[in-house]
């Protein structure tokens, strides 16, 4: 969130600390994670992709706070992590 601290969605999210809501989704593999990143980029949804070093392996991504309806199909193939 620090990277996008000036984004209005981030500001609204942290201003209402008692209502912060997070969803953790999972994907099958690295290829699908990279595909999600591309989908987010195409939908103009800011995100950050973590890459483990020194292995250079993408492991996780996080979006700015966004309502589900704004995501469109960007994360459609993900499932709720259990």
């Amino acid at each position: 969130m620090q990277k996008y601290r000036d984004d209005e969605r981030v500001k609204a999210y942290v201003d209402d600390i008692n209502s912060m809501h997070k969803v953790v989704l999972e994907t099958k593999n690295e290829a699908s994670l990279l595909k999600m990143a591309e989908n987010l980029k195409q939908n103009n949804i800011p995100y950050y992709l973590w890459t483990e070093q020194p292995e250079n392996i993408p492991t996780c991504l996080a979006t700015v706070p966004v309502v589900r309806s704004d995501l469109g199909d960007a994360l459609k193939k993900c499932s709720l992590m259990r």
Side-chain angles (χ1 to χ4, degrees):
M1 289 198 321
Q2 179 65 20
K3 181 177 180 177
Y4 297 107
R5 66 186 170 274
D6 295 326
D7 186 290
E8 291 303 316
R9 294 167 287 198
V10 174
K11 289 178 182 179
Y13 182 72
V14 296
D15 280 347
D16 191 9
I17 196 162
N18 293 321
S19 296
M20 288 181 157
H21 180 76
K22 293 150 215 64
V23 175
V24 179
L25 303 173
E26 66 181 337
T27 185
K28 294 179 182 180
N29 52 40
E30 181 181 337
S32 60
L33 181 65
L34 295 174
K35 177 65 175 165
M36 280 193 313
E38 182 60 32
N39 289 345
L40 290 168
K41 185 176 182 179
Q42 290 175 358
N43 284 287
N44 297 314
I45 298 170
Y47 68 92
Y48 182 80
L49 181 66
W50 273 274
T51 303
E52 291 293 322
Q53 296 299 331
E55 299 86 357
N56 203 35
I57 299 171
T59 57
C60 176
L61 65 79
T63 68
V64 296
V66 61
V67 294
R68 185 179 294 178
S69 60
D70 289 346
L71 286 172
D73 291 338
L75 304 178
K76 184 178 180 182
K77 301 225 177 198
C78 296
S79 57
L80 191 61
M81 187 168 181
R82 300 185 191 268

